[in-house]
Amino acid sequence: MSEGTERSEPASLRQLVREATGYDVRRCGRCSYCTHFVTPDDDLSLEIMLQLVLQNDEEVLTSKTLWSDAALRRAQQMCVSTMDVAAIMLVLREEAQRRGLSKEEG
Ligand code: SF4
């Protein structure tokens, strides 16, 4: 029998990120280092963003931080667990677009 060839439920955000980047957001040790770099333009720290991914909370897809290019640049080398959080953000942006939740400015 051919089991596991079809997915009956949509992938969780954590699964999507893991499949696309190889990073498991559970690797975030919640050290809060990245929270020191939150700007007034951000509504979430990278830490909270990753926790929302872990909880499969769609709120992350419409967060200001996700769609901030400044946050994206910072995220490249911010994580002390050496995750490329910028790559994770790009996957989340793509998923937001797929779900019609894009906040990208035209
Ligand atoms: S720096 Fe990395 S490990 Fe630390 S809280 Fe932020 S995302 Fe998590």
Side-chain angles (χ1 to χ4, degrees), residues 15-89:
Q15 275 176 296
L16 285 170
V17 165
R18 197 166 48 179
E19 282 168 18
T21 67
Y23 294 118
D24 187 341
V25 293
R26 282 198 305 193
R27 212 165 118 182
C28 169
R30 305 190 72 176
C31 69
S32 298
Y33 174 73
C34 56
T35 63
H36 299 298
F37 300 90
V38 171
T39 72
D41 290 334
D42 298 322
D43 53 355
L44 300 175
S45 66
L46 300 183
E47 176 179 355
I48 299 297
M49 228 177 51
L50 296 186
Q51 292 309 307
L52 290 176
V53 172
L54 194 52
Q55 293 160 20
N56 200 30
D57 189 332
E58 221 177 35
E59 186 186 333
V60 69
L61 300 179
T62 54
S63 68
K64 281 164 55 178
T65 301
L66 180 64
W67 294 97
S68 157
D69 288 335
L72 186 69
R73 277 193 296 276
R74 281 196 309 275
Q76 282 171 341
Q77 296 182 330
M78 177 70 62
C79 179
V80 298
S81 289
T82 64
M83 282 188 285
D84 182 350
V85 182
I88 293 173
M89 288 170 73

